[in-house]
Amino acid sequence: MTAKKKIWRGAVVLGGILFLCLVTSPSSAGEVEDRIRALEETQRANAAELEKLKGEQMELRKEATAAAAALPSFTYRPRRGLLIEAADKSWAMRTFARWHYRMMFWPDNTGVASSGFSQGDTALRRWRWGFNPSWQDGFYELDVELDGGADRGIQVQKGELHVDFSKLNVYFPTL
């Protein structure tokens, strides 16, 4: 092959490559722009959905806070017992229990034989269980205590109904 033919072929190949680059460049640039527009559109849709979900999340948090505020509260105090109280104080329930145990010590073996307990045994001597429900923010209150033990049956220790008229007016009595 001659040098002119080689140069000519090289020029044709180079021209073809340049032609293909020029023809395909605008189409690939257009494709990139289309892809950018599609991604921007997707991003806008995702941003709108994100804002909507954030609004729903805030509503759910408000509802959860309101629901938690409406739940009754539980309070335990030693010797006072467990108090369960409605959030709006429309009702409350207090309950407690006391157990009195004794340890057996006998000066001689005759007490052991007659009681059925051995030296150092513990036995329930007495128990007391009480509950105290109240309604309408303590306007009505029932006070009940049961008493029992090893040497007696179950008895009502206290049974009272209180009506606190002082909630209506400070000068009114509690009956």
Side-chain angles (χ1 to χ4, degrees), residues 90-128:
S90 62
W91 61 270
M93 174 68 168
R94 181 180 303 278
T95 183
F96 69 91
R98 293 185 190 132
W99 293 277
H100 299 265
Y101 286 93
R102 64 180 170 191
M103 188 173 279
M104 304 297 184
F105 290 108
W106 305 104
D108 56 5
N109 288 334
T110 58
V112 173
S114 65
S115 70
F117 292 103
S118 38
Q119 294 283 5
D121 280 351
T122 56
L124 179 64
R125 179 180 167 268
R126 182 178 181 184
W127 60 266
R128 183 171 285 178

PDB file of all heavy atoms in Angstrom, residues 90-128:
ATOM      1  N   SER A  90     -61.712  11.121  88.081  1.00  0.00           N
ATOM      2  CA  SER A  90     -63.123  10.788  88.233  1.00  0.00           C
ATOM      3  C   SER A  90     -63.305   9.568  89.131  1.00  0.00           C
ATOM      4  O   SER A  90     -64.349   9.415  89.746  1.00  0.00           O
ATOM      5  CB  SER A  90     -63.755  10.531  86.868  1.00  0.00           C
ATOM      6  OG  SER A  90     -63.133   9.424  86.246  1.00  0.00           O
ATOM      7  N   TRP A  91     -62.303   8.719  89.242  1.00  0.00           N
ATOM      8  CA  TRP A  91     -62.372   7.557  90.120  1.00  0.00           C
ATOM      9  C   TRP A  91     -60.970   7.224  90.599  1.00  0.00           C
ATOM     10  O   TRP A  91     -59.972   7.608  89.985  1.00  0.00           O
ATOM     11  CB  TRP A  91     -63.002   6.348  89.424  1.00  0.00           C
ATOM     12  CG  TRP A  91     -62.247   5.888  88.215  1.00  0.00           C
ATOM     13  CD1 TRP A  91     -62.419   6.307  86.932  1.00  0.00           C
ATOM     14  CD2 TRP A  91     -61.158   4.961  88.188  1.00  0.00           C
ATOM     15  NE1 TRP A  91     -61.527   5.691  86.113  1.00  0.00           N
ATOM     16  CE2 TRP A  91     -60.742   4.856  86.853  1.00  0.00           C
ATOM     17  CE3 TRP A  91     -60.510   4.210  89.148  1.00  0.00           C
ATOM     18  CZ2 TRP A  91     -59.699   4.024  86.464  1.00  0.00           C
ATOM     19  CZ3 TRP A  91     -59.471   3.380  88.761  1.00  0.00           C
ATOM     20  CH2 TRP A  91     -59.080   3.293  87.420  1.00  0.00           C
ATOM     21  N   ALA A  92     -60.917   6.515  91.697  1.00  0.00           N
ATOM     22  CA  ALA A  92     -59.641   6.049  92.249  1.00  0.00           C
ATOM     23  C   ALA A  92     -59.904   4.780  93.053  1.00  0.00           C
ATOM     24  O   ALA A  92     -61.020   4.555  93.529  1.00  0.00           O
ATOM     25  CB  ALA A  92     -59.005   7.115  93.138  1.00  0.00           C
ATOM     26  N   MET A  93     -58.885   3.978  93.208  1.00  0.00           N
ATOM     27  CA  MET A  93     -58.998   2.734  93.978  1.00  0.00           C
ATOM     28  C   MET A  93     -57.692   2.527  94.731  1.00  0.00           C
ATOM     29  O   MET A  93     -56.630   2.448  94.125  1.00  0.00           O
ATOM     30  CB  MET A  93     -59.265   1.563  93.030  1.00  0.00           C
ATOM     31  CG  MET A  93     -59.257   0.227  93.685  1.00  0.00           C
ATOM     32  SD  MET A  93     -60.646   0.072  94.769  1.00  0.00           S
ATOM     33  CE  MET A  93     -60.597  -1.636  95.120  1.00  0.00           C
ATOM     34  N   ARG A  94     -57.788   2.476  96.064  1.00  0.00           N
ATOM     35  CA  ARG A  94     -56.614   2.198  96.895  1.00  0.00           C
ATOM     36  C   ARG A  94     -56.824   0.833  97.536  1.00  0.00           C
ATOM     37  O   ARG A  94     -57.906   0.526  98.018  1.00  0.00           O
ATOM     38  CB  ARG A  94     -56.450   3.252  97.977  1.00  0.00           C
ATOM     39  CG  ARG A  94     -55.230   3.028  98.844  1.00  0.00           C
ATOM     40  CD  ARG A  94     -55.076   4.087  99.906  1.00  0.00           C
ATOM     41  NE  ARG A  94     -55.018   5.421  99.384  1.00  0.00           N
ATOM     42  CZ  ARG A  94     -53.923   6.007  98.884  1.00  0.00           C
ATOM     43  NH1 ARG A  94     -52.804   5.342  98.820  1.00  0.00           N
ATOM     44  NH2 ARG A  94     -53.967   7.249  98.450  1.00  0.00           N
ATOM     45  N   THR A  95     -55.776   0.033  97.552  1.00  0.00           N
ATOM     46  CA  THR A  95     -55.844  -1.262  98.207  1.00  0.00           C
ATOM     47  C   THR A  95     -54.549  -1.488  98.973  1.00  0.00           C
ATOM     48  O   THR A  95     -53.485  -1.019  98.566  1.00  0.00           O
ATOM     49  CB  THR A  95     -56.088  -2.407  97.193  1.00  0.00           C
ATOM     50  OG1 THR A  95     -56.216  -3.625  97.894  1.00  0.00           O
ATOM     51  CG2 THR A  95     -54.992  -2.510  96.175  1.00  0.00           C
ATOM     52  N   PHE A  96     -54.665  -2.159 100.098  1.00  0.00           N
ATOM     53  CA  PHE A  96     -53.492  -2.451 100.901  1.00  0.00           C
ATOM     54  C   PHE A  96     -53.693  -3.782 101.610  1.00  0.00           C
ATOM     55  O   PHE A  96     -54.807  -4.301 101.706  1.00  0.00           O
ATOM     56  CB  PHE A  96     -53.231  -1.340 101.933  1.00  0.00           C
ATOM     57  CG  PHE A  96     -54.253  -1.287 103.022  1.00  0.00           C
ATOM     58  CD1 PHE A  96     -54.073  -1.992 104.189  1.00  0.00           C
ATOM     59  CD2 PHE A  96     -55.391  -0.522 102.880  1.00  0.00           C
ATOM     60  CE1 PHE A  96     -55.025  -1.956 105.189  1.00  0.00           C
ATOM     61  CE2 PHE A  96     -56.334  -0.474 103.867  1.00  0.00           C
ATOM     62  CZ  PHE A  96     -56.155  -1.194 105.031  1.00  0.00           C
ATOM     63  N   ALA A  97     -52.615  -4.319 102.125  1.00  0.00           N
ATOM     64  CA  ALA A  97     -52.660  -5.561 102.891  1.00  0.00           C
ATOM     65  C   ALA A  97     -51.565  -5.509 103.940  1.00  0.00           C
ATOM     66  O   ALA A  97     -50.471  -4.986 103.691  1.00  0.00           O
ATOM     67  CB  ALA A  97     -52.472  -6.766 101.979  1.00  0.00           C
ATOM     68  N   ARG A  98     -51.889  -6.034 105.102  1.00  0.00           N
ATOM     69  CA  ARG A  98     -50.916  -6.133 106.190  1.00  0.00           C
ATOM     70  C   ARG A  98     -50.965  -7.549 106.737  1.00  0.00           C
ATOM     71  O   ARG A  98     -52.033  -8.098 106.954  1.00  0.00           O
ATOM     72  CB  ARG A  98     -51.244  -5.152 107.304  1.00  0.00           C
ATOM     73  CG  ARG A  98     -51.078  -3.733 106.907  1.00  0.00           C
ATOM     74  CD  ARG A  98     -51.293  -2.815 108.087  1.00  0.00           C
ATOM     75  NE  ARG A  98     -51.358  -1.460 107.589  1.00  0.00           N
ATOM     76  CZ  ARG A  98     -52.279  -0.595 107.916  1.00  0.00           C
ATOM     77  NH1 ARG A  98     -53.224  -0.915 108.761  1.00  0.00           N
ATOM     78  NH2 ARG A  98     -52.273   0.616 107.406  1.00  0.00           N
ATOM     79  N   TRP A  99     -49.797  -8.117 106.982  1.00  0.00           N
ATOM     80  CA  TRP A  99     -49.694  -9.448 107.559  1.00  0.00           C
ATOM     81  C   TRP A  99     -48.856  -9.358 108.817  1.00  0.00           C
ATOM     82  O   TRP A  99     -47.787  -8.757 108.819  1.00  0.00           O
ATOM     83  CB  TRP A  99     -49.020 -10.421 106.586  1.00  0.00           C
ATOM     84  CG  TRP A  99     -49.834 -10.699 105.379  1.00  0.00           C
ATOM     85  CD1 TRP A  99     -50.837 -11.602 105.274  1.00  0.00           C
ATOM     86  CD2 TRP A  99     -49.718 -10.081 104.106  1.00  0.00           C
ATOM     87  NE1 TRP A  99     -51.362 -11.580 104.003  1.00  0.00           N
ATOM     88  CE2 TRP A  99     -50.682 -10.645 103.267  1.00  0.00           C
ATOM     89  CE3 TRP A  99     -48.905  -9.085 103.579  1.00  0.00           C
ATOM     90  CZ2 TRP A  99     -50.859 -10.265 101.953  1.00  0.00           C
ATOM     91  CZ3 TRP A  99     -49.072  -8.703 102.275  1.00  0.00           C
ATOM     92  CH2 TRP A  99     -50.043  -9.294 101.476  1.00  0.00           C
ATOM     93  N   HIS A 100     -49.338  -9.965 109.885  1.00  0.00           N
ATOM     94  CA  HIS A 100     -48.611 -10.012 111.150  1.00  0.00           C
ATOM     95  C   HIS A 100     -48.232 -11.472 111.409  1.00  0.00           C
ATOM     96  O   HIS A 100     -49.098 -12.330 111.519  1.00  0.00           O
ATOM     97  CB  HIS A 100     -49.484  -9.501 112.298  1.00  0.00           C
ATOM     98  CG  HIS A 100     -49.905  -8.091 112.126  1.00  0.00           C
ATOM     99  ND1 HIS A 100     -49.228  -7.045 112.687  1.00  0.00           N
ATOM    100  CD2 HIS A 100     -50.948  -7.537 111.451  1.00  0.00           C
ATOM    101  CE1 HIS A 100     -49.821  -5.922 112.371  1.00  0.00           C
ATOM    102  NE2 HIS A 100     -50.872  -6.191 111.611  1.00  0.00           N
ATOM    103  N   TYR A 101     -46.950 -11.722 111.486  1.00  0.00           N
ATOM    104  CA  TYR A 101     -46.452 -13.063 111.745  1.00  0.00           C
ATOM    105  C   TYR A 101     -45.888 -13.133 113.159  1.00  0.00           C
ATOM    106  O   TYR A 101     -45.468 -12.123 113.722  1.00  0.00           O
ATOM    107  CB  TYR A 101     -45.331 -13.435 110.750  1.00  0.00           C
ATOM    108  CG  TYR A 101     -45.841 -13.734 109.376  1.00  0.00           C
ATOM    109  CD1 TYR A 101     -45.904 -12.743 108.403  1.00  0.00           C
ATOM    110  CD2 TYR A 101     -46.257 -15.005 109.046  1.00  0.00           C
ATOM    111  CE1 TYR A 101     -46.377 -13.022 107.141  1.00  0.00           C
ATOM    112  CE2 TYR A 101     -46.727 -15.298 107.785  1.00  0.00           C
ATOM    113  CZ  TYR A 101     -46.786 -14.292 106.835  1.00  0.00           C
ATOM    114  OH  TYR A 101     -47.251 -14.577 105.587  1.00  0.00           O
ATOM    115  N   ARG A 102     -45.880 -14.292 113.686  1.00  0.00           N
ATOM    116  CA  ARG A 102     -45.220 -14.491 114.975  1.00  0.00           C
ATOM    117  C   ARG A 102     -44.332 -15.719 114.876  1.00  0.00           C
ATOM    118  O   ARG A 102     -44.611 -16.660 114.139  1.00  0.00           O
ATOM    119  CB  ARG A 102     -46.224 -14.611 116.107  1.00  0.00           C
ATOM    120  CG  ARG A 102     -47.110 -15.815 116.000  1.00  0.00           C
ATOM    121  CD  ARG A 102     -48.076 -15.853 117.146  1.00  0.00           C
ATOM    122  NE  ARG A 102     -49.074 -16.897 116.888  1.00  0.00           N
ATOM    123  CZ  ARG A 102     -50.158 -17.043 117.573  1.00  0.00           C
ATOM    124  NH1 ARG A 102     -50.432 -16.245 118.565  1.00  0.00           N
ATOM    125  NH2 ARG A 102     -51.000 -18.003 117.283  1.00  0.00           N
ATOM    126  N   MET A 103     -43.279 -15.695 115.682  1.00  0.00           N
ATOM    127  CA  MET A 103     -42.354 -16.812 115.730  1.00  0.00           C
ATOM    128  C   MET A 103     -42.585 -17.544 117.044  1.00  0.00           C
ATOM    129  O   MET A 103     -42.698 -16.917 118.095  1.00  0.00           O
ATOM    130  CB  MET A 103     -40.911 -16.314 115.619  1.00  0.00           C
ATOM    131  CG  MET A 103     -39.915 -17.437 115.474  1.00  0.00           C
ATOM    132  SD  MET A 103     -38.254 -16.830 115.156  1.00  0.00           S
ATOM    133  CE  MET A 103     -38.367 -16.510 113.417  1.00  0.00           C
ATOM    134  N   MET A 104     -42.687 -18.843 116.970  1.00  0.00           N
ATOM    135  CA  MET A 104     -43.028 -19.654 118.132  1.00  0.00           C
ATOM    136  C   MET A 104     -41.780 -20.006 118.953  1.00  0.00           C
ATOM    137  O   MET A 104     -40.824 -20.551 118.410  1.00  0.00           O
ATOM    138  CB  MET A 104     -43.705 -20.952 117.689  1.00  0.00           C
ATOM    139  CG  MET A 104     -44.922 -20.745 116.838  1.00  0.00           C
ATOM    140  SD  MET A 104     -46.165 -19.873 117.756  1.00  0.00           S
ATOM    141  CE  MET A 104     -47.478 -19.875 116.579  1.00  0.00           C
ATOM    142  N   PHE A 105     -41.838 -19.657 120.221  1.00  0.00           N
ATOM    143  CA  PHE A 105     -40.823 -20.067 121.189  1.00  0.00           C
ATOM    144  C   PHE A 105     -41.561 -20.599 122.409  1.00  0.00           C
ATOM    145  O   PHE A 105     -42.378 -19.898 123.008  1.00  0.00           O
ATOM    146  CB  PHE A 105     -39.915 -18.897 121.602  1.00  0.00           C
ATOM    147  CG  PHE A 105     -39.008 -18.461 120.519  1.00  0.00           C
ATOM    148  CD1 PHE A 105     -39.222 -17.261 119.861  1.00  0.00           C
ATOM    149  CD2 PHE A 105     -37.934 -19.248 120.125  1.00  0.00           C
ATOM    150  CE1 PHE A 105     -38.386 -16.854 118.852  1.00  0.00           C
ATOM    151  CE2 PHE A 105     -37.094 -18.841 119.115  1.00  0.00           C
ATOM    152  CZ  PHE A 105     -37.320 -17.651 118.474  1.00  0.00           C
ATOM    153  N   TRP A 106     -41.332 -21.830 122.742  1.00  0.00           N
ATOM    154  CA  TRP A 106     -42.018 -22.465 123.862  1.00  0.00           C
ATOM    155  C   TRP A 106     -41.025 -22.689 124.994  1.00  0.00           C
ATOM    156  O   TRP A 106     -39.921 -23.173 124.778  1.00  0.00           O
ATOM    157  CB  TRP A 106     -42.622 -23.802 123.426  1.00  0.00           C
ATOM    158  CG  TRP A 106     -43.516 -23.664 122.243  1.00  0.00           C
ATOM    159  CD1 TRP A 106     -43.240 -23.995 120.965  1.00  0.00           C
ATOM    160  CD2 TRP A 106     -44.832 -23.136 122.242  1.00  0.00           C
ATOM    161  NE1 TRP A 106     -44.296 -23.709 120.142  1.00  0.00           N
ATOM    162  CE2 TRP A 106     -45.307 -23.167 120.913  1.00  0.00           C
ATOM    163  CE3 TRP A 106     -45.679 -22.607 123.220  1.00  0.00           C
ATOM    164  CZ2 TRP A 106     -46.559 -22.730 120.530  1.00  0.00           C
ATOM    165  CZ3 TRP A 106     -46.938 -22.170 122.837  1.00  0.00           C
ATOM    166  CH2 TRP A 106     -47.363 -22.240 121.501  1.00  0.00           C
ATOM    167  N   PRO A 107     -41.436 -22.338 126.217  1.00  0.00           N
ATOM    168  CA  PRO A 107     -40.529 -22.570 127.334  1.00  0.00           C
ATOM    169  C   PRO A 107     -40.359 -24.053 127.668  1.00  0.00           C
ATOM    170  O   PRO A 107     -39.348 -24.457 128.226  1.00  0.00           O
ATOM    171  CB  PRO A 107     -41.173 -21.817 128.502  1.00  0.00           C
ATOM    172  CG  PRO A 107     -42.594 -21.616 128.118  1.00  0.00           C
ATOM    173  CD  PRO A 107     -42.648 -21.649 126.630  1.00  0.00           C
ATOM    174  N   ASP A 108     -41.366 -24.853 127.306  1.00  0.00           N
ATOM    175  CA  ASP A 108     -41.258 -26.287 127.568  1.00  0.00           C
ATOM    176  C   ASP A 108     -41.862 -27.055 126.391  1.00  0.00           C
ATOM    177  O   ASP A 108     -42.421 -26.473 125.472  1.00  0.00           O
ATOM    178  CB  ASP A 108     -41.955 -26.658 128.880  1.00  0.00           C
ATOM    179  CG  ASP A 108     -43.414 -26.225 128.886  1.00  0.00           C
ATOM    180  OD1 ASP A 108     -43.890 -25.726 127.848  1.00  0.00           O
ATOM    181  OD2 ASP A 108     -44.066 -26.377 129.916  1.00  0.00           O
ATOM    182  N   ASN A 109     -41.761 -28.331 126.390  1.00  0.00           N
ATOM    183  CA  ASN A 109     -42.246 -29.154 125.298  1.00  0.00           C
ATOM    184  C   ASN A 109     -43.757 -29.369 125.306  1.00  0.00           C
ATOM    185  O   ASN A 109     -44.311 -29.850 124.334  1.00  0.00           O
ATOM    186  CB  ASN A 109     -41.537 -30.504 125.292  1.00  0.00           C
ATOM    187  CG  ASN A 109     -40.111 -30.359 124.841  1.00  0.00           C
ATOM    188  OD1 ASN A 109     -39.791 -29.423 124.113  1.00  0.00           O
ATOM    189  ND2 ASN A 109     -39.250 -31.269 125.273  1.00  0.00           N
ATOM    190  N   THR A 110     -44.451 -29.012 126.376  1.00  0.00           N
ATOM    191  CA  THR A 110     -45.903 -29.205 126.405  1.00  0.00           C
ATOM    192  C   THR A 110     -46.605 -28.252 125.451  1.00  0.00           C
ATOM    193  O   THR A 110     -47.584 -28.602 124.810  1.00  0.00           O
ATOM    194  CB  THR A 110     -46.450 -28.990 127.831  1.00  0.00           C
ATOM    195  OG1 THR A 110     -46.111 -27.674 128.263  1.00  0.00           O
ATOM    196  CG2 THR A 110     -45.894 -30.026 128.781  1.00  0.00           C
ATOM    197  N   GLY A 111     -46.082 -27.018 125.329  1.00  0.00           N
ATOM    198  CA  GLY A 111     -46.660 -26.065 124.376  1.00  0.00           C
ATOM    199  C   GLY A 111     -46.461 -26.522 122.940  1.00  0.00           C
ATOM    200  O   GLY A 111     -47.321 -26.360 122.086  1.00  0.00           O
ATOM    201  N   VAL A 112     -45.328 -27.120 122.653  1.00  0.00           N
ATOM    202  CA  VAL A 112     -45.050 -27.624 121.310  1.00  0.00           C
ATOM    203  C   VAL A 112     -46.033 -28.732 120.965  1.00  0.00           C
ATOM    204  O   VAL A 112     -46.617 -28.773 119.880  1.00  0.00           O
ATOM    205  CB  VAL A 112     -43.593 -28.121 121.200  1.00  0.00           C
ATOM    206  CG1 VAL A 112     -43.357 -28.805 119.872  1.00  0.00           C
ATOM    207  CG2 VAL A 112     -42.633 -26.972 121.380  1.00  0.00           C
ATOM    208  N   ALA A 113     -46.265 -29.620 121.918  1.00  0.00           N
ATOM    209  CA  ALA A 113     -47.153 -30.749 121.659  1.00  0.00           C
ATOM    210  C   ALA A 113     -48.592 -30.296 121.478  1.00  0.00           C
ATOM    211  O   ALA A 113     -49.316 -30.815 120.626  1.00  0.00           O
ATOM    212  CB  ALA A 113     -47.058 -31.749 122.810  1.00  0.00           C
ATOM    213  N   SER A 114     -49.021 -29.304 122.251  1.00  0.00           N
ATOM    214  CA  SER A 114     -50.421 -28.880 122.159  1.00  0.00           C
ATOM    215  C   SER A 114     -50.700 -27.981 120.961  1.00  0.00           C
ATOM    216  O   SER A 114     -51.813 -27.953 120.450  1.00  0.00           O
ATOM    217  CB  SER A 114     -50.834 -28.168 123.452  1.00  0.00           C
ATOM    218  OG  SER A 114     -50.085 -26.980 123.589  1.00  0.00           O
ATOM    219  N   SER A 115     -49.697 -27.246 120.491  1.00  0.00           N
ATOM    220  CA  SER A 115     -49.946 -26.303 119.385  1.00  0.00           C
ATOM    221  C   SER A 115     -49.698 -26.897 118.010  1.00  0.00           C
ATOM    222  O   SER A 115     -50.247 -26.429 117.030  1.00  0.00           O
ATOM    223  CB  SER A 115     -49.070 -25.065 119.553  1.00  0.00           C
ATOM    224  OG  SER A 115     -47.722 -25.402 119.327  1.00  0.00           O
ATOM    225  N   GLY A 116     -48.831 -27.850 117.918  1.00  0.00           N
ATOM    226  CA  GLY A 116     -48.488 -28.412 116.626  1.00  0.00           C
ATOM    227  C   GLY A 116     -47.330 -27.685 115.959  1.00  0.00           C
ATOM    228  O   GLY A 116     -46.900 -28.060 114.877  1.00  0.00           O
ATOM    229  N   PHE A 117     -46.824 -26.617 116.589  1.00  0.00           N
ATOM    230  CA  PHE A 117     -45.677 -25.876 116.069  1.00  0.00           C
ATOM    231  C   PHE A 117     -44.430 -26.303 116.815  1.00  0.00           C
ATOM    232  O   PHE A 117     -44.466 -26.615 117.992  1.00  0.00           O
ATOM    233  CB  PHE A 117     -45.868 -24.364 116.258  1.00  0.00           C
ATOM    234  CG  PHE A 117     -46.964 -23.786 115.420  1.00  0.00           C
ATOM    235  CD1 PHE A 117     -48.193 -23.480 115.990  1.00  0.00           C
ATOM    236  CD2 PHE A 117     -46.768 -23.535 114.073  1.00  0.00           C
ATOM    237  CE1 PHE A 117     -49.204 -22.936 115.220  1.00  0.00           C
ATOM    238  CE2 PHE A 117     -47.776 -22.991 113.304  1.00  0.00           C
ATOM    239  CZ  PHE A 117     -49.000 -22.695 113.876  1.00  0.00           C
ATOM    240  N   SER A 118     -43.308 -26.292 116.128  1.00  0.00           N
ATOM    241  CA  SER A 118     -42.052 -26.563 116.802  1.00  0.00           C
ATOM    242  C   SER A 118     -41.343 -25.245 117.115  1.00  0.00           C
ATOM    243  O   SER A 118     -41.805 -24.179 116.721  1.00  0.00           O
ATOM    244  CB  SER A 118     -41.162 -27.476 115.968  1.00  0.00           C
ATOM    245  OG  SER A 118     -41.255 -27.189 114.621  1.00  0.00           O
ATOM    246  N   GLN A 119     -40.253 -25.346 117.813  1.00  0.00           N
ATOM    247  CA  GLN A 119     -39.523 -24.144 118.209  1.00  0.00           C
ATOM    248  C   GLN A 119     -39.028 -23.396 116.969  1.00  0.00           C
ATOM    249  O   GLN A 119     -38.474 -23.970 116.052  1.00  0.00           O
ATOM    250  CB  GLN A 119     -38.301 -24.525 119.079  1.00  0.00           C
ATOM    251  CG  GLN A 119     -38.633 -25.114 120.394  1.00  0.00           C
ATOM    252  CD  GLN A 119     -39.086 -24.060 121.411  1.00  0.00           C
ATOM    253  OE1 GLN A 119     -39.229 -22.896 121.099  1.00  0.00           O
ATOM    254  NE2 GLN A 119     -39.336 -24.507 122.633  1.00  0.00           N
ATOM    255  N   GLY A 120     -39.274 -22.074 116.922  1.00  0.00           N
ATOM    256  CA  GLY A 120     -38.786 -21.225 115.829  1.00  0.00           C
ATOM    257  C   GLY A 120     -39.682 -21.165 114.606  1.00  0.00           C
ATOM    258  O   GLY A 120     -39.355 -20.481 113.637  1.00  0.00           O
ATOM    259  N   ASP A 121     -40.811 -21.862 114.615  1.00  0.00           N
ATOM    260  CA  ASP A 121     -41.742 -21.799 113.475  1.00  0.00           C
ATOM    261  C   ASP A 121     -42.398 -20.418 113.415  1.00  0.00           C
ATOM    262  O   ASP A 121     -42.651 -19.789 114.440  1.00  0.00           O
ATOM    263  CB  ASP A 121     -42.849 -22.850 113.602  1.00  0.00           C
ATOM    264  CG  ASP A 121     -42.387 -24.228 113.184  1.00  0.00           C
ATOM    265  OD1 ASP A 121     -41.278 -24.322 112.643  1.00  0.00           O
ATOM    266  OD2 ASP A 121     -43.142 -25.186 113.403  1.00  0.00           O
ATOM    267  N   THR A 122     -42.683 -19.974 112.204  1.00  0.00           N
ATOM    268  CA  THR A 122     -43.422 -18.723 112.038  1.00  0.00           C
ATOM    269  C   THR A 122     -44.842 -19.068 111.614  1.00  0.00           C
ATOM    270  O   THR A 122     -45.069 -19.996 110.841  1.00  0.00           O
ATOM    271  CB  THR A 122     -42.779 -17.815 110.974  1.00  0.00           C
ATOM    272  OG1 THR A 122     -42.686 -18.527 109.762  1.00  0.00           O
ATOM    273  CG2 THR A 122     -41.411 -17.352 111.406  1.00  0.00           C
ATOM    274  N   ALA A 123     -45.780 -18.300 112.128  1.00  0.00           N
ATOM    275  CA  ALA A 123     -47.185 -18.538 111.811  1.00  0.00           C
ATOM    276  C   ALA A 123     -47.869 -17.202 111.591  1.00  0.00           C
ATOM    277  O   ALA A 123     -47.525 -16.191 112.218  1.00  0.00           O
ATOM    278  CB  ALA A 123     -47.869 -19.290 112.943  1.00  0.00           C
ATOM    279  N   LEU A 124     -48.826 -17.191 110.694  1.00  0.00           N
ATOM    280  CA  LEU A 124     -49.598 -15.987 110.441  1.00  0.00           C
ATOM    281  C   LEU A 124     -50.541 -15.768 111.626  1.00  0.00           C
ATOM    282  O   LEU A 124     -51.407 -16.583 111.906  1.00  0.00           O
ATOM    283  CB  LEU A 124     -50.399 -16.127 109.134  1.00  0.00           C
ATOM    284  CG  LEU A 124     -51.272 -14.941 108.759  1.00  0.00           C
ATOM    285  CD1 LEU A 124     -50.418 -13.716 108.484  1.00  0.00           C
ATOM    286  CD2 LEU A 124     -52.107 -15.271 107.525  1.00  0.00           C
ATOM    287  N   ARG A 125     -50.354 -14.680 112.322  1.00  0.00           N
ATOM    288  CA  ARG A 125     -51.175 -14.377 113.481  1.00  0.00           C
ATOM    289  C   ARG A 125     -52.424 -13.623 113.061  1.00  0.00           C
ATOM    290  O   ARG A 125     -53.517 -13.894 113.525  1.00  0.00           O
ATOM    291  CB  ARG A 125     -50.364 -13.540 114.472  1.00  0.00           C
ATOM    292  CG  ARG A 125     -51.129 -13.141 115.691  1.00  0.00           C
ATOM    293  CD  ARG A 125     -50.247 -12.303 116.621  1.00  0.00           C
ATOM    294  NE  ARG A 125     -51.092 -11.681 117.614  1.00  0.00           N
ATOM    295  CZ  ARG A 125     -51.635 -10.485 117.491  1.00  0.00           C
ATOM    296  NH1 ARG A 125     -51.413  -9.769 116.419  1.00  0.00           N
ATOM    297  NH2 ARG A 125     -52.392  -9.985 118.442  1.00  0.00           N
ATOM    298  N   ARG A 126     -52.241 -12.652 112.153  1.00  0.00           N
ATOM    299  CA  ARG A 126     -53.350 -11.799 111.776  1.00  0.00           C
ATOM    300  C   ARG A 126     -53.062 -11.188 110.417  1.00  0.00           C
ATOM    301  O   ARG A 126     -51.921 -10.888 110.088  1.00  0.00           O
ATOM    302  CB  ARG A 126     -53.470 -10.696 112.822  1.00  0.00           C
ATOM    303  CG  ARG A 126     -54.597  -9.759 112.608  1.00  0.00           C
ATOM    304  CD  ARG A 126     -54.591  -8.766 113.752  1.00  0.00           C
ATOM    305  NE  ARG A 126     -55.692  -7.844 113.600  1.00  0.00           N
ATOM    306  CZ  ARG A 126     -55.900  -6.840 114.394  1.00  0.00           C
ATOM    307  NH1 ARG A 126     -55.092  -6.626 115.404  1.00  0.00           N
ATOM    308  NH2 ARG A 126     -56.920  -6.054 114.201  1.00  0.00           N
ATOM    309  N   TRP A 127     -54.092 -10.991 109.625  1.00  0.00           N
ATOM    310  CA  TRP A 127     -53.948 -10.297 108.355  1.00  0.00           C
ATOM    311  C   TRP A 127     -55.079  -9.299 108.211  1.00  0.00           C
ATOM    312  O   TRP A 127     -56.158  -9.469 108.745  1.00  0.00           O
ATOM    313  CB  TRP A 127     -53.906 -11.252 107.158  1.00  0.00           C
ATOM    314  CG  TRP A 127     -55.131 -12.090 106.997  1.00  0.00           C
ATOM    315  CD1 TRP A 127     -55.329 -13.333 107.469  1.00  0.00           C
ATOM    316  CD2 TRP A 127     -56.335 -11.729 106.315  1.00  0.00           C
ATOM    317  NE1 TRP A 127     -56.572 -13.784 107.140  1.00  0.00           N
ATOM    318  CE2 TRP A 127     -57.214 -12.810 106.429  1.00  0.00           C
ATOM    319  CE3 TRP A 127     -56.759 -10.602 105.624  1.00  0.00           C
ATOM    320  CZ2 TRP A 127     -58.488 -12.803 105.879  1.00  0.00           C
ATOM    321  CZ3 TRP A 127     -58.024 -10.588 105.073  1.00  0.00           C
ATOM    322  CH2 TRP A 127     -58.876 -11.687 105.205  1.00  0.00           C
ATOM    323  N   ARG A 128     -54.795  -8.242 107.495  1.00  0.00           N
ATOM    324  CA  ARG A 128     -55.808  -7.230 107.250  1.00  0.00           C
ATOM    325  C   ARG A 128     -55.671  -6.786 105.793  1.00  0.00           C
ATOM    326  O   ARG A 128     -54.603  -6.441 105.337  1.00  0.00           O
ATOM    327  CB  ARG A 128     -55.621  -6.030 108.170  1.00  0.00           C
ATOM    328  CG  ARG A 128     -56.731  -5.003 107.966  1.00  0.00           C
ATOM    329  CD  ARG A 128     -56.676  -3.929 108.993  1.00  0.00           C
ATOM    330  NE  ARG A 128     -57.191  -4.481 110.257  1.00  0.00           N
ATOM    331  CZ  ARG A 128     -57.229  -3.791 111.377  1.00  0.00           C
ATOM    332  NH1 ARG A 128     -56.774  -2.572 111.424  1.00  0.00           N
ATOM    333  NH2 ARG A 128     -57.709  -4.333 112.469  1.00  0.00           N
TER     334      ARG A 128
END
